[in-house]
Amino acid sequence: VEHYNSYRSYIKKRFGQEVLKVPLSGGFSCPNRDGMKSHTGCLFCDNRSFSPAALKIESPVNQLRAIISKTSHRYSAFIPYLQPFSNTYGTVEQLKAVYEPLLEIPDVVGIAIGTRPDCFSNAIYDYLYDLSKRTYLSIELGLQSGHNITLKRCNRGHTVEEFSSAIKRLAQMSIETVAHVMLGLPGECTDMMIKTAQYIASVPVSGVKIHQLMIISGTEFELMYNEGLLNLFTIEEYADILCQFIENLRPDQLIHRIMADSKPDFGLIAPLWSANKSASINVIHRIMNTAGCKQGIKQA
Ligand code: SF4
């Protein structure tokens, strides 16, 4: 039984083959870290990614070429995904210098760009429109919660309204979008998380990436967790809320991810079920089967 409208199936159908999405560092910064909005960043932001070592990265083109050469026996289509930080935080010229060379690599069929709702200008929207006419384009925006009180508590440095307006502007240009959401943020009850799903269903966002709250070492959340201020989901609790969340989305919205994963070697502290992705996905699917979970059935 298909419980939800999976992005993976959509992309396979759209391109007629499996496509590998390749996470890359674009070398951009973030206004919530560089002092424009704050120096603290989101409370879940992994500080180690701001270390000088992380800044000395290979060019995005070299990062992509290395992955293509390792995986070309299995894949012949690739989507570079500019993931960390805010990849529209710069001038159009700076964005072009990073994006355009990636599109020239053979077998690249599009580009996915992760960013924040407050990192756009008219010139950037115009450029993204132009880009979308030339290739497959997906813009991924961090939202995390549909509640301003939670965004404030997590020091996100933007509002739900800014997310709505960026999504509407991108939708007017028929650009595909994704909302990143975290379930289990401090101060949120089940009802608030469901309301976030209902909010997402009410705006023209094409897809959703859903993550459980994880504690990563070096983050502000680690300190709060050590003080006993954060409650984490068991896999069963998470699956239950995830089902309700998905049921409240629109049936057409693409589900990119139903959980996040990490490893203790990469700083994961808790919950440890996050380290075993395939076993955890199996548990989630079993609970979805039992619950008869179906995307969109709670839509009014
Ligand atoms: S928007 Fe992303 S990069 Fe910026 S502070 Fe938040 S988590 Fe860190």
Side-chain angles (χ1 to χ4, degrees):
V1 188
E2 290 283 325
H3 297 291
Y4 53 85
N5 188 14
S6 99
Y7 179 70
R8 199 172 158 203
S9 314
Y10 158 79
I11 220 75
K12 195 172 170 188
K13 210 159 146 195
R14 179 167 177 150
F15 291 100
Q17 60 184 316
E18 293 279 0
V19 179
L20 185 65
K21 199 170 163 189
V22 185
L24 305 174
S25 296
F28 292 98
S29 182
C30 168
N32 208 24
R33 295 297 315 220
D34 72 0
M36 176 76 96
K37 286 274 170 84
S38 91
H39 287 288
T40 331
C42 308
L43 301 192
F44 45 80
C45 190
D46 185 355
N47 289 302
R48 280 166 311 165
S49 37
F50 290 87
S51 69
L55 297 174
K56 266 192 243 143
I57 47 165
E58 277 277 8
S59 74
V61 163
N62 285 347
Q63 295 169 53
L64 181 59
R65 283 196 199 282
I67 301 288
I68 291 179
S69 74
K70 274 192 212 144
T71 56
S72 57
H73 59 289
R74 276 191 62 198
Y75 296 93
S76 50
F78 301 87
I79 296 178
Y81 168 36
L82 297 165
Q83 185 180 34
F85 312 109
S86 304
N87 295 286
T88 59
Y89 187 43
T91 62
V92 169
E93 290 317 309
Q94 288 167 327
L95 308 191
K96 275 186 185 165
V98 174
Y99 307 170
E100 299 291 339
L102 293 169
L103 298 172
E104 281 164 25
I105 297 178
D107 299 331
V108 165
V109 295
I111 185 165
I113 298 165
T115 190
R116 292 166 49 90
D118 55 356
C119 289
F120 294 94
S121 62
N122 285 334
I124 290 176
Y125 283 122
D126 289 346
Y127 170 55
L128 293 177
Y129 179 69
D130 167 67
L131 195 58
S132 73
K133 293 287 154 209
R134 292 186 276 128
T135 192
Y136 168 77
L137 174 65
S138 171
I139 303 289
E140 306 204 4
L141 289 178
L143 169 67
Q144 316 310 344
S145 164
H147 303 276
N148 281 329
I149 187 169
T150 308
L151 299 188
K152 201 155 187 198
R153 198 179 280 132
C154 296
N155 196 43
R156 280 289 296 169
H158 69 78
T159 60
V160 175
E161 291 70 24
E162 281 175 285
F163 176 85
S164 301
S165 93
I167 286 297
K168 283 178 191 155
R169 186 89 186 251
L170 293 163
Q172 276 162 9
M173 299 187 286
S174 301
I175 293 176
E176 205 173 287
T177 49
V178 190
H180 289 204
V181 173
M182 227 179 259
L183 301 181
L185 287 170
E188 292 217 340
C189 58
T190 305
D191 188 47
M192 285 176 82
M193 292 178 246
I194 302 303
K195 289 223 161 64
T196 293
Q198 290 165 346
Y199 161 72
I200 288 174
S202 77
V203 288
V205 61
S206 332
V208 196
K209 242 179 208 178
I210 312 162
H211 294 167
Q212 74 281 16
L213 172 65
M214 293 193 296
I215 307 303
I216 304 292
S217 73
T219 61
E220 294 290 321
F221 270 0
E222 182 190 11
L223 305 177
M224 291 169 71
Y225 179 66
N226 290 340
E227 284 171 29
L229 298 173
L230 296 178
N231 292 319
L232 298 178
F233 290 132
T234 62
I235 177 76
E236 291 80 12
E237 288 166 344
Y238 178 68
D240 176 51
I241 293 198
L242 177 69
C243 287
Q244 297 183 58
F245 190 92
I246 285 175
E247 288 175 354
N248 279 278
L249 295 173
R250 288 198 314 271
D252 63 281
Q253 290 179 312
L254 297 162
I255 309 294
H256 290 241
R257 241 197 230 170
I258 55 168
M259 66 170 278
D261 64 302
S262 186
K263 298 269 182 232
D265 282 355
F266 297 119
L268 174 70
I269 294 173
L272 286 176
W273 56 263
S274 316
N276 199 342
K277 190 176 178 186
S278 57
S280 296
I281 295 267
N282 285 342
V283 174
I284 291 172
H285 281 158
R286 206 176 57 233
I287 291 174
M288 284 180 161
N289 281 337
T290 311
C293 173
K294 183 104 185 107
Q295 183 177 345
I297 52 165
K298 297 269 168 64
Q299 273 282 293

